[in-house]
Amino acid sequence: MLNDIILPEPTLRRLPWYLAYVEILKSQKVEHVSSTQISRALNVDASQIAKDLSFLSLKGKTRIGYEVDALVSALSDFLGFRTPHKAYVFGAGSLGKALMQDSGLSNYGLNIVAGFDVDPSKIGTRVGDVPIYHIESLAEVMEKNPATIGILTVPVNKAQDTADTAIGEGIRAIWNFTPYRVKVAEGIVMSNTSIYAHLALIYNRLNADS
Amino acid sequence: MLNDIILPEPTLRRLPWYLAYVEILKSQKVEHVSSTQISRALNVDASQIAKDLSFLSLKGKTRIGYEVDALVSALSDFLGFRTPHKAYVFGAGSLGKALMQDSGLSNYGLNIVAGFDVDPSKIGTRVGDVPIYHIESLAEVMEKNPATIGILTVPVNKAQDTADTAIGEGIRAIWNFTPYRVKVAEGIVMSNTSIYAHLALIYNRLNADS
């Protein structure tokens, strides 16, 4: 059921909103939902919703709309949340450890199977269930328990080097939590979660407000 | 030094990149940097960088560029990373706990001073240094140790209610980590960190690739 076409980023941003909303309806035992209803609840144009949902093989019925159960399943499958994806965390500092302990990520298909660091006091320990290795053991770990996604939580001055090393050993997607703008070759998937930019936005808006 | 003008979002996204880069230069004892150098390192147009940096009171010198030390200080101050901002975490589940344990956030001016939940087994405990209260104690905690920022990590079906409650008690900014699209009144600052959308993007691009 996983899609193999490249979806536009705005669609990929909105589909999880729809999923969250229909999951609430499901928990309330609601059976059907129309794009007009989703539109009112989420403040997204109804025709946009119909267009986004048209990427799914699922069809809504005139007047009745979509079956809630089927829509939850179709969206979760389509977004890849029900397929396990193995990931490594690079950098077992406070954010890295936090992500390794966030069991919620596995509900969205992300299985963190190893962590890497250079601090001798961390090597050989575990964070939650996740074993921490020295970055020099990457090739070895990759052979035993390969992953496709590398989560980057190292200090900024190590971000580019670490990404290069990870990609060199076969990592195919970098999820970058550092504020450094890592460069990758074409064909490598890159996603930035800019925690610090979001903080800067909040501080700026709060300050401009007061 | 905190700015009190509303900066464009793209500028707020780029300024932390510049900060991360000049922090690396500082650690390498580099003394000066030009916008052309920043441009080459980060793949951002040099004139755009000059324009973004023009929001700061700092001026670069012809041929020499900006003083690295001064630029680090000016950017950190300007982005609000050196001013303490008090925050509460709503929802002491796995992500909420992870954020309370991420001591790195305090380096960027975010001080999480309390967590809230409804699970009796969590109330009265601590996550790291952060005490967990029942959401019904919010007004009381707000009086003793007020915060302006509410970090939302509750289940999706509680996201809107919790945001409403928080705002009702005086929270002025919502940092939403849930995939639910929370609605807030005008004047309330809203920032979404869409972890699940980023995961969906990575999965889609990986899958389309293979």
Side-chain angles (χ1 to χ4, degrees):
Chain A
M1 256 303 280
L2 251 176
N3 53 300
D4 57 3
I5 51 159
I6 295 190
L7 292 173
E9 273 199 55
T11 299
L12 282 168
R13 205 162 41 233
R14 286 185 298 261
L15 290 174
W17 298 346
Y18 309 156
L19 176 58
Y21 176 64
V22 294
E23 274 176 336
I24 295 176
L25 295 182
K26 187 180 171 178
S27 74
Q28 296 167 342
K29 317 263 182 233
V30 175
E31 288 186 6
H32 292 92
V33 64
S34 65
S35 30
T36 321
Q37 263 175 284
I38 304 178
S39 166
R40 269 198 300 263
L42 303 182
N43 234 339
V44 175
D45 196 60
S47 63
Q48 182 65 67
I49 294 170
K51 202 176 154 194
D52 288 341
L53 293 179
S54 74
F55 285 107
L56 283 71
S57 49
L58 203 73
K59 288 278 168 289
K61 285 181 199 153
T62 325
R63 270 191 294 262
I64 308 180
Y66 301 91
E67 267 181 54
V68 168
D69 269 19
L71 192 50
V72 168
S73 295
L75 278 167
S76 309
D77 280 344
F78 188 75
L79 289 169
F81 292 162
R82 291 186 179 183
T83 312
H85 298 80
K86 285 193 195 171
Y88 298 153
V89 168
F90 294 92
S94 62
L95 179 60
K97 282 197 279 188
L99 291 168
M100 288 187 253
Q101 283 166 328
D102 179 6
S103 53
L105 290 170
S106 63
N107 296 333
Y108 290 84
L110 191 79
N111 287 350
I112 299 174
V113 295
F116 293 88
D117 208 289
V118 291
D119 178 349
S121 73
K122 289 177 182 167
I123 315 303
T125 67
R126 279 173 181 266
V127 176
D129 292 336
V130 183
I132 309 299
Y133 301 97
H134 195 285
I135 185 77
E136 285 173 2
S137 311
L138 176 56
E140 204 181 311
V141 177
M142 196 73 176
E143 204 158 308
K144 284 187 202 152
N145 196 4
T148 45
I149 300 168
I151 303 173
L152 209 58
T153 56
V154 294
V156 281
N157 60 339
K158 301 282 178 260
Q160 187 64 58
D161 278 1
T162 307
D164 291 345
T165 304
I167 293 162
E169 294 299 342
I171 287 292
R172 291 175 45 227
I174 297 288
W175 191 5
N176 179 26
F177 281 84
T178 81
Y180 190 76
R181 219 181 165 214
V182 172
K183 290 180 203 167
V184 295
E186 215 172 318
I188 298 297
V189 179
M190 184 79 210
S191 178
N192 294 292
T193 293
S194 310
I195 287 186
Y196 310 104
H198 296 164
L199 274 178
L201 180 83
I202 292 172
Y203 298 160
N204 176 259
R205 297 299 189 257
L206 274 175
N207 205 61
D209 233 47
S210 57
Chain B
M1 255 304 280
L2 251 176
N3 53 301
D4 56 3
I5 51 159
I6 296 189
L7 291 173
E9 273 199 53
T11 300
L12 281 167
R13 206 163 40 235
R14 286 186 298 262
L15 289 174
W17 298 345
Y18 308 156
L19 176 57
Y21 176 64
V22 293
E23 273 176 336
I24 295 175
L25 296 182
K26 187 179 170 178
S27 75
Q28 295 167 342
K29 317 266 182 229
V30 175
E31 288 187 6
H32 290 93
V33 64
S34 65
S35 29
T36 321
Q37 262 176 284
I38 305 178
S39 166
R40 269 197 299 263
L42 303 182
N43 234 340
V44 175
D45 194 62
S47 64
Q48 183 65 65
I49 293 170
K51 203 177 153 194
D52 289 339
L53 293 179
S54 74
F55 285 107
L56 283 71
S57 50
L58 203 74
K59 289 277 168 288
K61 283 181 201 153
T62 325
R63 267 192 295 263
I64 309 180
Y66 300 91
E67 268 181 51
V68 168
D69 269 19
L71 192 49
V72 167
S73 296
L75 278 166
S76 308
D77 279 344
F78 188 74
L79 289 169
F81 293 162
R82 291 187 179 183
T83 312
H85 298 80
K86 285 193 194 171
Y88 298 152
V89 168
F90 294 93
S94 63
L95 179 60
K97 281 196 279 189
L99 291 169
M100 289 187 253
Q101 282 166 329
D102 179 5
S103 53
L105 291 171
S106 62
N107 296 333
Y108 289 84
L110 191 78
N111 286 351
I112 299 174
V113 295
F116 293 89
D117 208 291
V118 291
D119 178 348
S121 73
K122 289 176 183 167
I123 316 301
T125 66
R126 278 173 182 268
V127 176
D129 291 336
V130 183
I132 310 298
Y133 301 97
H134 196 283
I135 184 77
E136 285 173 1
S137 311
L138 176 57
E140 205 181 310
V141 177
M142 196 72 176
E143 203 159 309
K144 284 187 203 150
N145 197 3
T148 45
I149 300 168
I151 302 173
L152 209 58
T153 56
V154 293
V156 280
N157 60 338
K158 299 284 179 259
Q160 186 65 57
D161 278 2
T162 307
D164 292 345
T165 304
I167 292 162
E169 294 299 341
I171 287 292
R172 291 173 48 225
I174 298 288
W175 190 6
N176 180 26
F177 281 83
T178 82
Y180 191 76
R181 218 182 166 216
V182 172
K183 290 180 203 167
V184 295
E186 214 172 320
I188 299 296
V189 178
M190 185 76 210
S191 178
N192 294 293
T193 293
S194 310
I195 287 185
Y196 310 103
H198 297 163
L199 275 178
L201 179 85
I202 292 171
Y203 298 161
N204 175 258
R205 297 297 188 259
L206 275 175
N207 206 59
D209 234 45
S210 58

